[in-house]
């Protein structure tokens, strides 16, 4: 029997055993070519498929190294984020404890205020005018002089200052 190599040249006469081996090797080489083509297509999807086996292997090594580096960076980032989560949880617990302490202080102070006697009016304090409620400003309005409260003060002016009969002579109209 005559056996041909890949280029079609006659090798030599072989036995049936050698012939089977040659067919198997040729099929193995063809399947390896197909696998290298698939690998090339996976490594660089946009480019045409390479047939140069060393170049394909170099690309595969490069891509694997990039993936290892990226995986390591992601692990480090994950560890940093987990550490930050632990710190934030600790801070959250501290803030909860502080909130409880402040709430207890607030309740304590409110209880003390309830037990305190009402304040005594200071000396010289003038009680509000009995008609003060009639002169109260509306809910939305502020008093012009908040220190005086809502008491009309015109009644405390001397009669000469309250007299408006001479206003037209003393203060002529501006218009």
């Amino acid at each position: 029997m005559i056996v041909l190599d890949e280029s079609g040249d006659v090798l030599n006469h072989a036995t049936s055993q050698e012939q089977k081996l040659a067919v198997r090797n040729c099929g193995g080489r063809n399947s390896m070519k197909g696998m290298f083509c698939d690998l090339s297509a996976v490594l660089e999807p946009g480019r045409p498929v390479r047939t140069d086996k060393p170049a394909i292997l170099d690309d595969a090594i490069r891509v694997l190294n990039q993936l290892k580096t990226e995986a390591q960076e992601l692990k480090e980032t994950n560890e940093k984020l987990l550490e930050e989560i632990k710190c934030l949880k600790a801070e959250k617990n501290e803030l909860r404890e502080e909130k409880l302490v402040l709430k207890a202080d607030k309740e304590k102070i409110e209880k003390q205020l309830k037990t305190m006697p009402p304040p005594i009016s200071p000396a010289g304090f003038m009680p509000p005018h009995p008609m003060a409620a009639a002169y109260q400003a509306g809910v939305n309005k502020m008093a012009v002089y908040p220190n005086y409260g809502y008491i009309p003060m015109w009644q405390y002016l001397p009669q000469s200052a309250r007299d408006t009969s001479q206003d037209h002579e003393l203060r002529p109209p501006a218009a």
Side-chain angles (χ1 to χ4, degrees), residues 121-160:
S121 344
F125 175 74
M126 187 169 145
H129 189 271
M131 294 295 292
Y135 298 106
Q136 295 266 337
V139 176
N140 305 10
K141 298 182 180 180
M142 296 280 296
V144 177
Y145 299 106
N147 290 344
Y148 292 123
Y150 297 109
I151 302 169
M153 300 304 289
W154 57 267
Q155 62 199 8
Y156 299 109
L157 293 174
Q159 182 63 33
S160 60

Side-chain angles (χ1 to χ4, degrees), residues 15 19 32 42 45 53 59 61 72 79 88 103 128 135 149:
T15 63
Q19 186 179 10
M32 287 294 283
V42 168
K53 292 177 187 178
D59 288 345
I61 291 170
Q72 184 63 31
E79 289 174 3
L88 290 174
K103 193 173 184 180
Y135 298 106

Side-chain angles (χ1 to χ4, degrees), residues 12-173:
N12 58 10
H13 297 290
T15 63
S16 65
Q17 195 74 316
E18 291 174 346
Q19 186 179 10
K20 288 179 186 177
L21 182 62
V23 169
R24 232 182 317 155
N25 285 342
C26 184
R29 280 192 295 271
N30 286 337
S31 68
M32 287 294 283
K33 278 184 184 178
M35 285 190 243
F36 271 102
C37 289
D38 292 344
L39 180 61
S40 176
V42 168
L43 291 175
E44 299 175 9
R47 289 185 166 180
V49 177
R50 287 182 166 182
T51 55
D52 185 22
K53 292 177 187 178
I56 293 172
L57 289 174
D58 287 342
D59 288 345
I61 291 170
R62 177 182 48 82
V63 169
L64 285 175
N65 287 334
Q66 286 176 349
L67 290 174
K68 283 181 184 177
T69 304
E70 187 177 338
Q72 184 63 31
E73 289 173 357
L74 290 174
K75 283 181 184 178
E76 291 171 1
T77 303
N78 191 26
E79 289 174 3
K80 288 178 184 176
L81 290 174
L82 290 174
E83 184 65 32
E84 188 173 341
I85 287 172
K86 286 180 186 177
C87 292
L88 290 174
K89 284 183 179 180
E91 186 176 346
K92 179 181 169 183
N93 290 335
E94 289 174 7
L95 289 173
R96 281 184 177 164
E97 291 172 4
E98 186 176 343
K99 179 182 175 184
L100 291 174
V101 169
L102 290 173
K103 193 173 184 180
D105 287 348
K106 177 186 170 193
E107 290 173 0
K108 179 182 171 186
I109 290 172
E110 286 176 348
K111 187 176 180 181
Q112 287 176 350
L113 280 174
K114 287 180 182 177
T115 59
M116 288 178 63
I120 300 172
S121 344
F125 175 74
M126 187 169 145
H129 189 271
M131 294 295 292
Y135 298 106
Q136 295 266 337
V139 176
N140 305 10
K141 298 182 180 180
M142 296 280 296
V144 177
Y145 299 106
N147 290 344
Y148 292 123
Y150 297 109
I151 302 169
M153 300 304 289
W154 57 267
Q155 62 199 8
Y156 299 109
L157 293 174
Q159 182 63 33
S160 60
R162 283 188 280 160
D163 184 18
T164 58
S165 61
Q166 300 294 324
D167 277 357
H168 64 281
E169 292 172 7
L170 299 173
R171 298 173 203 87

